[in-house]
Amino acid sequence: MSTPAAPSTSATAPDTAPATTPTTAAPGMPAPAPPPPPAPAGRHTLDWRVRFAALSLIWGFSFLLIKVGTQGYAPFQVTLGRLFFGTAVVAAFLVAKRERLPRSPRVWAHLAVAALLLNALPFSLFAYAELTIPSTLAGICNATSPLWGMLLALVALSEDRPTRRRVAGLVLGFVGVLTVLGVWQGFSDLEPRGTAMALLASLSYPIGWIYIRRTLAGSGHSNLSLTGAQLLMATIELAVVTPLFTSVPTHLPLGPLFAVVALGALGTGIALLTQYGIVAEVGPTTAQMVTYFIPVIATAAGVAVLGESLTWTTPVGAAVVLAGAALTQSTPRPRRPRAPRRPHS
């Protein structure tokens, strides 16, 4: 899930304000390029709040779909199918808009790296992680992406200087992660390999956004064009890797197949286009808030649909993670100047 947050025009991730992580950090968000600056709202059939709620549900259910997909197919096959159907949706939109893909070899080279960091690698890691960990834990691990993004931005981006508020958010967020993992129990109930993969996937998103910020910002290509090209590159990368580690399925289980199709067409293609529409209408700051609904929905879906167990550490730790992530993204309000005192008569 990332984005795996809508990046800012100047940067990467979520917004024009803090340059850290995308709402793309969400599992279904592959967005390659910074979204355009907010445009005047046009006429839409559905109110942006309805589309925002739908986007939250789609990305929240993505972890459930990954879990169902891996019950019938190898993780690389799930990721390849996801990217294929997501690319098909964006490609259809490109044709409808009559937009062209980039032509510069340099741009394609940078997009190949971005595709690896924002799509191929994190999508595959989440799929492998969910072989051994519940979808609820994967969704919560995805919510750490803004924390990783802020930490990396403080190191790699000179314009993002640490503040007390951001440092406090980082500390609080990682306390939440330790709560989810049950550190005081010695991680006894934890599958370390799957959890590490999920956390590494969430870390991959902000690394990808920082790379994009340094290489493709101001490239002159439309956001939609770059997104389509990035997804295409990610699909090609998985098409090369998948046959090396998996064999062709002897049968096609329909339930997992439908999950993969939905994960790609809805969770990657439609969700991405919907998010860009929301960014253009109400701005990236509001659109970024979808990040904080995803782990809540992922947890509810895992428990209600898949019957996954839930201990008190999961919701409490998730709430602390989200509070920390929100704190790293917030900015203090400017103080109002005090009115001059009247001289005593």
Side-chain angles (χ1 to χ4, degrees):
M1 96 312 295
S2 150
T3 44
S8 78
T9 324
S10 62
T12 127
D15 274 271
T16 45
T20 47
T21 325
T23 3
T24 129
M29 158 118 187
R43 292 184 179 181
H44 292 277
T45 306
L46 295 176
D47 183 80
W48 73 266
R49 297 171 187 83
V50 176
R51 288 178 281 131
F52 182 95
L55 183 62
S56 302
L57 287 171
I58 290 172
W59 274 341
F61 270 85
S62 291
F63 295 97
L64 181 149
L65 295 174
I66 293 171
K67 173 69 80 173
V68 174
T70 55
Q71 292 173 355
Y73 302 97
F76 275 137
Q77 293 169 343
V78 172
T79 304
L80 176 59
R82 172 184 189 172
L83 288 168
F84 174 81
F85 291 108
T87 303
V89 169
V90 176
F93 204 77
L94 276 168
V95 172
K97 290 285 187 178
R98 297 182 179 180
E99 291 206 27
R100 296 181 178 180
L101 295 176
R103 296 182 179 180
S104 167
R106 174 186 167 277
V107 171
W108 279 98
H110 288 312
L111 286 173
V113 178
L116 175 65
L117 294 172
L118 290 172
N119 306 118
L121 179 60
F123 290 1
S124 299
L125 285 172
F126 273 122
Y128 270 101
E130 291 198 39
L131 291 176
T132 55
I133 67 172
S135 65
T136 54
L137 179 56
I140 293 170
C141 287
N142 181 79
T144 64
S145 194
L147 302 176
W148 294 120
M150 177 60 66
L151 186 61
L152 289 171
L154 295 179
V155 174
L157 302 174
S158 58
E159 63 270 32
D160 287 337
R161 296 183 178 181
T163 63
R164 290 182 181 179
R165 181 185 294 257
R166 291 183 172 185
V167 171
L170 283 173
V171 173
L172 183 63
F174 286 113
V175 167
V177 172
L178 295 177
T179 303
V180 171
L181 302 182
V183 62
W184 59 89
Q185 300 171 348
F187 307 109
S188 56
D189 297 328
L190 191 66
E191 206 293 319
R193 185 177 179 183
T195 306
M197 285 184 175
L199 290 172
L200 183 59
S202 70
L203 172 61
S204 181
Y205 288 122
I207 293 175
W209 286 117
I210 290 176
Y211 179 83
I212 283 177
R213 181 171 183 170
R214 291 182 175 275
T215 59
L216 290 174
S219 65
H221 298 281
S222 76
N223 195 55
L224 180 62
S225 173
L226 290 174
T227 300
Q230 179 183 308
L231 283 177
L232 178 60
M233 288 301 303
T235 305
I236 294 172
E237 290 168 355
L238 258 294
V240 172
V241 170
T242 300
L244 301 178
F245 296 93
T246 64
S247 55
V248 178
T250 55
H251 64 290
L252 301 176
L254 290 182
L257 179 60
F258 288 145
V260 172
V261 174
L263 184 63
L266 292 175
T268 303
I270 297 296
L272 179 58
L273 297 173
T274 301
Q275 194 230 19
Y276 283 152
I278 296 173
V279 169
E281 184 172 349
V282 298
T285 302
T286 301
Q288 180 198 4
M289 295 305 296
V290 73
T291 306
Y292 306 114
F293 290 89
I294 292 171
V296 177
I297 296 170
T299 300
V303 172
V305 179
L306 298 178
E308 295 176 345
S309 60
L310 188 68
T311 62
W312 70 268
T313 59
T314 301
V316 171
V320 177
V321 168
L322 293 177
L327 193 59
T328 63
Q329 303 296 311
S330 64
T331 53
R333 295 179 180 179
R335 294 181 180 180
R336 294 181 179 179
R338 293 182 180 180
R341 292 183 180 181
R342 280 182 161 186
H344 294 289
S345 54

